[in-house]
């Protein structure tokens, strides 16, 4: 049979249901905690009950005597790990994943032991009975924006940028905003808990895991355990959400340790409560914004400073001030990201790291400036649209922000809005509308892919991509079909296996763009090799790509997706309840591969923005250092009753430098959404809320017309 491609309509850009959808709804798709293994043992992590100090002893005799218990691993008997390396994302590993290496306890919920037994119930019972004695020390979890020990951290972007005389430009401004905005600690809480099973077979380590990058986890495990990278395989076929939390974590390392000790498969699954300590989270932030503008609303001064927290064992920064480096320019433009080390777990990337909390502060401040200048909020943003990157000075690869605002304003009915606050009312409800801008970087990372022309006329794509619920598997099927000149039904995409070679993780809104580039490159070369009318041999014809050189040759530009968020809220003057009635997001996200799953991504991000604005808030107990209500009963998220009519759409905005025209959509949906809601609450009540979430008690305390 020949595989000569024929001309056909494009698959990219047409709505397509998930290729794995039937498997998921019938249960055929197995997640990491469901894959069966013969002789499987179960590990249960025991976590510290103090927030700072030392382990004096781990008294294992009682636990080992309990039914089904096979071993107890702790700092006194666990294998030594090598943590002196730089990982896939250019940072060293968080020591929390390097379990049982010393007797120090840097925060409540630090892993102190792993109990392994024949069943999960036996392991849990023994872990809860395990006696661990500590030498407790005073701890500090108090986070403030004026903490004396705050210091700048570069992270993936420079910590500090600056140009111009800030104080002089502020003094010369006709309108000034100087305000502090705060966001609380927030948690990822994917539906599927973190789970991993490790086993040794024929001298090779295999880990079945739930992660955002199989080669990422495989590489870190090889380095931690000083193994030949070729001897480690990580599989992660189906993932029930990640949002930044599913990288290398304590449970994978503990499972490998136990499997090595017992020479049998061992599975470790985090509980929901353990995820609050071990899976990372978004740091709280305190952000100060100072804006100065002339009488026409043009910025003369912009200062955005942010403070976040990190643990005492690892340096992670939430780069909230970085969003200002892209959005607006001024003669004096200063930004800074600083951190404070406290006795808490290490934060990590969480959907739109930096941009989500940073946009709340910046876009709220722009709304305040619009009020002071007497200028429509959209017009104010238009007057401050930069021609080049405000900090980098680089040209934009495309900047569809104003087009998003124009289309969004038309569809939302913005022109009919009375700008005066506190005037619209329906019974006890005050009504208001708000808007905010959104942006997120559109990057690409080197990846490899293999495409095989099979003898039966079909094609197989192999790439170490991760589908964390975004529809990546389906998007790559459509991309491959177009590149091969065939239909999606003739393409099978296999993902989530480190044996397929290095590829970008599912993160940073770079996954589909990076993977599609590699798949397209391999498919293009394969088409050149295939001769019409010539049969494909039984073993097939395979071409492998590597996009390192192509991506490295990209011209330096400011590459971003952009968007405009609109919200209408109703505020109950008697209870303080805020209800979002409708939301609209219009985005400029590059070429859309699959409109069906893309819309789901946008709407999901916007719903999370509602949750961020009104509900989410993890609160720590100063006495213990731990959370109040570390579960989905105590940590509130938006439910169906909280989610109104949410509409997402996009404008044409392909990236000319990308083979498919992709930019990225995974995170742009949440950026600006909370600010749009907060700005709408101000319009409804005339009261500005600068701290999230906007809880009923805060609304009542702040007061509003008619209260």
């Amino acid at each position: 049979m020949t595989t000569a491609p024929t001309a056909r309509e494009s698959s990219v850009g047409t709505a397509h249901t998930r290729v794995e959808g039937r498997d998921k709804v019938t249960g055929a798709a197995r997640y990491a905690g469901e894959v069966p293994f013969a002789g499987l043992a179960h590990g249960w992590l025991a976590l510290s009950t103090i927030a700072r100090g030392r382990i004096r002893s781990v008294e294992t005799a009682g636990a080992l005597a309990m039914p089904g218990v096979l071993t107890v691993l702790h700092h006194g008997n666990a294998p030594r790990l090598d943590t002196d390396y730089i990982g896939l994302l250019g940072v060293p590993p968080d020591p929390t994943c390097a379990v049982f290496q010393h007797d120090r306890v840097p925060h409540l919920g630090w892993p102190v032991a792993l109990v392994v037994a024949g069943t999960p119930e036996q392991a849990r019972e023994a872990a809860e009975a395990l006696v661990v004695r500590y030498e407790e020390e005073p701890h500090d979890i108090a986070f403030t924006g004026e903490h004396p020990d705050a210091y700048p951290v570069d992270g993936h972007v420079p910590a500090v940028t600056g140009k111009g005389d800030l104080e002089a430009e502020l003094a010369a401004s006709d309108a000034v905003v100087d305000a502090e905005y705060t966001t609380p600690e927030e948690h990822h809480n994917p539906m599927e808990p973190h789970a991993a099973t490790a086993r040794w077979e024929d001298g090779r380590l295999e880990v079945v895991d739930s992660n955002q990058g199989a080669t990422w986890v495989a590489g870190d495990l090889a380095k931690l355990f000083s193994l030949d990278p070729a001897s480690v395989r990580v599989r992660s076929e189906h993932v029930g959400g990640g949002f930044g939390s599913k990288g290398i974590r304590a449970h994978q390392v503990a499972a490998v340790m136990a499997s090595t000790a017992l020479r049998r498969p061992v599975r470790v699954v985090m509980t929901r409560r353990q995820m609050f300590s071990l899976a990372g989270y978004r740091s709280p932030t305190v952000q100060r914004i100072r804006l100065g503008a002339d009488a026409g609303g043009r910025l003369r001064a912009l200062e955005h400073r942010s403070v976040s927290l990190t643990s005492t064992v690892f340096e992670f920064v939430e780069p909230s001030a970085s969003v200002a480096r892209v959005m607006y320019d001024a003669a004096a433009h200063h930004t800074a990201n600083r951190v404070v080390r406290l006795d808490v777990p290490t934060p990590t990337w969480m959907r739109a790291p930096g941009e989500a909390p940073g946009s709340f502060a910046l876009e709220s401040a722009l709304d305040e400036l619009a009020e002071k200048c007497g200028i429509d909020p959209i017009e104010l943003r238009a007057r401050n649209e930069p021609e080049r990157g405000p900090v980098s000075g680089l040209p934009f690869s495309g900047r569809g922000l104003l087009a998003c605002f124009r289309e969004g304003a038309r569809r939302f009915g913005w022109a009919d809005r009375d700008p005066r606050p506190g005037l619209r009312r329906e019974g006890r409800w005050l009504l208001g509308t708000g808007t905010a801008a959104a942006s997120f970087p559109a990057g690409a990372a080197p990846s490899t892919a293999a495409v095989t022309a099979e003898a039966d006329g079909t094609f197989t794509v192999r790439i170490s991509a991760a589908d964390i619920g975004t529809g990546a598997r389906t998007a790559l099927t459509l991309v491959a079909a177009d590149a091969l000149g065939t239909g999606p039904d003739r393409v099978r995409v296999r993902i989530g296996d480190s044996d397929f070679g290095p590829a970008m993780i599912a993160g940073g809104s770079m996954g589909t763009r990076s993977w599609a580039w590699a798949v397209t490159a391999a498919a293009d070369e394969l088409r050149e090799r295939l001769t019409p009318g010539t049969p494909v041999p039984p073993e097939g014809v395979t071409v492998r790509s590597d996009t390192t050189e192509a991506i490295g040759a990209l011209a330096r530009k400011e590459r971003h997706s952009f968007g405009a968020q609109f919200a209408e809220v109703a505020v109950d003057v008697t209870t303080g309840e805020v209800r979002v009635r409708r939301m609209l997001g219009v985005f400029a996200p590059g070429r859309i591969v699959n409109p069906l799953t893309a819309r789901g991504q946008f709407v999901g991000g916007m719903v999370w923005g509602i949750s961020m604005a009104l509900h989410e808030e993890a609160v720590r107990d100063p006495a213990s250092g731990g959370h109040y209500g570390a579960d989905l009963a105590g940590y509130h998220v938006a439910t169906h009753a909280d989610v109104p009519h949410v509409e997402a759409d996009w404008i044409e905005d392909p990236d000319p430098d990308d083979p498919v025209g992709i930019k990225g959509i995974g995170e742009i949906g949440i950026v600006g959404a909370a600010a749009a809601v907060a700005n709408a609450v101000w319009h409804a009540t005339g009261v500005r809320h600068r701290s999230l979430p906007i809880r009923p008690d805060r609304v009542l305390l702040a007061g509003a017309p008619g209260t």
Side-chain angles (χ1 to χ4, degrees):
M1 181 179 291
T2 65
T3 59
T6 58
R8 61 180 312 279
E9 292 184 1
S10 174
S11 296
V12 171
T14 60
H16 199 291
T17 56
R18 294 173 185 262
V19 295
E20 83 284 8
R22 181 177 292 275
D23 287 346
K24 284 187 172 178
V25 299
T26 60
R30 283 177 166 155
Y31 292 83
E34 301 172 324
V35 178
F37 289 92
L40 180 64
H42 299 267
W44 200 277
L45 287 164
L47 308 185
S48 70
T49 57
I50 66 168
R52 183 180 178 88
R54 291 185 178 276
I55 301 170
R56 291 172 50 197
S57 63
V58 181
E59 300 176 6
T60 61
L64 288 169
M66 296 179 71
V69 175
L70 302 170
T71 190
V72 178
L73 295 175
H74 53 87
H75 72 279
N77 62 3
R80 299 299 93 183
L81 301 174
D82 181 6
T83 58
D84 187 19
Y85 70 88
I86 300 299
L88 175 70
L89 300 181
V91 296
D94 180 352
T96 308
C97 75
V99 292
F100 318 140
Q101 297 300 291
H102 52 75
D103 62 357
R104 289 294 308 172
V105 174
H107 62 75
L108 188 78
W110 176 264
V112 295
L114 179 78
V115 178
V116 187
T119 70
E121 294 79 10
Q122 291 171 334
R124 179 174 188 167
E125 184 180 12
E128 292 177 349
L130 185 68
V131 176
V132 181
R133 303 194 186 279
Y134 302 95
E135 179 182 315
E136 191 169 3
E137 300 171 5
H139 62 266
D140 178 13
I141 66 162
F143 173 66
T144 67
E146 300 302 321
H147 199 290
D149 296 330
Y151 63 96
V153 174
D154 285 342
H156 286 282
V157 295
V160 178
T161 65
K163 66 179 182 182
D165 189 330
L166 186 69
E167 299 303 330
E169 293 294 341
L170 286 169
S173 295
D174 295 287
V176 174
V177 171
D178 184 348
E180 183 177 275
Y181 304 85
T182 67
T183 61
E185 180 179 324
E186 299 169 351
H187 285 257
H188 306 73
N189 277 312
M191 290 181 66
E192 178 204 19
H194 296 58
T197 304
R199 69 169 178 173
W200 289 90
E201 188 172 30
D202 299 326
R204 197 168 189 228
L205 174 65
E206 181 183 36
V207 177
V208 175
D209 186 29
S210 176
N211 63 54
Q212 294 180 229
T215 52
W216 176 18
V217 175
D220 275 23
L221 289 175
K223 291 169 182 172
L224 284 166
F225 287 91
S226 301
L227 300 171
D228 179 355
S231 69
V232 180
R233 181 189 188 190
V234 173
R235 293 191 291 123
S236 184
E237 186 174 1
H238 297 286
V239 182
F243 312 114
S245 70
K246 287 186 175 174
I248 185 71
R249 296 285 172 199
H251 66 295
Q252 299 131 321
V253 178
V256 173
M257 284 181 170
S259 181
T260 303
L262 297 172
R263 289 292 161 175
R264 62 187 287 184
V266 175
R267 174 171 294 157
V268 180
V269 181
M270 288 190 199
T271 67
R272 181 67 61 182
R273 293 184 68 86
Q274 288 175 343
M275 287 165 61
F276 276 81
S277 297
L278 299 179
Y281 57 96
R282 197 194 304 280
S283 167
T285 70
V286 177
Q287 302 174 60
R288 186 184 183 189
I289 305 282
R290 291 201 290 173
L291 303 176
D294 63 21
R298 292 173 181 84
L299 287 170
R300 301 186 59 145
L302 186 158
E303 181 186 36
H304 189 169
R305 298 186 180 277
S306 177
V307 180
S308 58
L309 59 75
T310 190
S311 68
T312 60
V313 296
F314 191 72
E315 202 170 64
F316 182 89
V317 60
E318 181 78 18
S320 302
S322 303
V323 67
R325 302 172 187 178
V326 175
M327 295 306 297
Y328 310 107
D329 202 357
H333 194 289
H334 292 251
T335 66
N337 293 304
R338 297 184 299 152
V339 299
V340 176
R341 287 183 178 268
L342 296 172
D343 300 316
V344 295
T346 307
T348 193
W349 298 280
M350 183 167 165
R351 197 175 195 174
E355 275 78 7
S359 67
F360 163 67
L362 182 63
E363 294 300 312
S364 295
L366 259 290
D367 204 65
E368 295 197 46
L369 184 63
E371 178 197 358
K372 287 197 171 189
C373 292
I375 299 173
D376 178 82
I378 296 177
E379 176 59 27
L380 180 75
R381 288 166 174 83
R383 294 183 188 184
N384 287 286
E385 181 72 353
E387 294 182 0
R388 304 177 75 85
V391 172
S392 69
L394 297 173
F396 288 96
S397 64
R399 188 174 168 105
L401 179 61
L402 294 187
C404 291
F405 269 119
R406 285 193 294 270
E407 176 63 13
R410 181 188 67 81
R411 293 174 58 166
F412 195 73
W414 188 261
D416 299 328
R417 176 184 191 259
D418 187 328
R420 295 172 297 172
L423 296 181
R424 290 177 60 203
R425 189 166 188 145
E426 289 181 2
R428 70 178 192 272
W429 297 95
L430 292 169
L431 308 181
T433 53
T435 190
S439 74
F440 197 80
S447 298
T448 63
V451 180
T452 301
E454 308 288 359
D456 63 359
T458 63
F459 299 88
T460 302
V461 176
R462 294 175 177 85
I463 184 168
S464 295
D467 192 334
I468 59 175
T470 58
R473 185 185 275 101
T474 307
L476 293 179
T477 299
L478 303 182
V479 168
D482 278 4
L484 292 164
T486 189
D489 58 326
R490 295 176 65 196
V491 176
R492 181 178 66 152
V493 174
R494 296 183 59 195
I495 65 172
D497 190 331
S498 63
D499 275 1
F500 295 159
M504 176 58 187
I505 67 167
S509 293
M510 292 193 286
T512 301
R513 177 178 164 113
S514 302
W515 306 323
W517 199 320
V519 169
T520 300
D524 287 347
E525 185 178 341
L526 179 61
R527 290 185 71 174
E528 293 177 2
R529 289 194 189 183
L530 297 176
T531 303
T534 302
V536 173
E539 68 275 14
V541 177
T542 299
V543 169
R544 186 170 184 82
S545 67
D546 185 338
T547 61
T548 302
E549 185 176 345
I551 289 175
L554 279 173
R556 292 186 64 218
K557 295 180 182 179
E558 287 278 3
R559 304 178 189 276
H560 304 268
S561 295
F562 290 96
Q565 305 270 18
F566 295 83
E568 180 179 47
V569 305
V571 182
D572 189 326
V573 297
T574 59
T575 67
E577 178 187 2
V578 178
R579 290 186 183 177
V580 178
R581 288 193 166 187
R582 60 187 176 113
M583 284 195 76
L584 169 67
V586 178
F587 303 96
R591 189 180 182 193
I592 295 297
V593 177
N594 184 358
L596 187 63
T597 52
R599 184 167 278 106
Q601 281 293 290
F602 290 134
V603 170
M606 294 169 69
V607 169
W608 204 342
I610 295 173
S611 196
M612 178 180 176
L614 304 180
H615 306 290
E616 294 194 48
E617 182 179 26
V619 180
R620 292 187 179 272
D621 176 9
S624 70
H627 291 108
Y628 296 108
D631 50 43
L632 291 180
Y635 181 82
H636 295 169
V637 297
T639 65
H640 282 293
D642 301 303
V643 178
H645 176 68
V646 179
E647 185 181 1
D649 211 337
W650 49 85
I651 62 173
E652 289 295 321
D653 179 48
D655 186 341
D657 296 325
D658 183 88
V660 185
I662 298 169
K663 285 188 176 179
I665 66 172
E667 290 159 287
I668 186 74
I670 191 175
V671 181
V677 173
N679 292 339
V681 171
W682 168 81
H683 187 233
T685 65
V687 177
R688 182 70 60 178
H689 289 269
R690 300 188 181 98
S691 294
L692 296 184
I694 306 174
R695 302 188 313 252
D697 61 308
R698 288 175 170 170
V699 173
L700 292 177
L701 286 172
T707 58

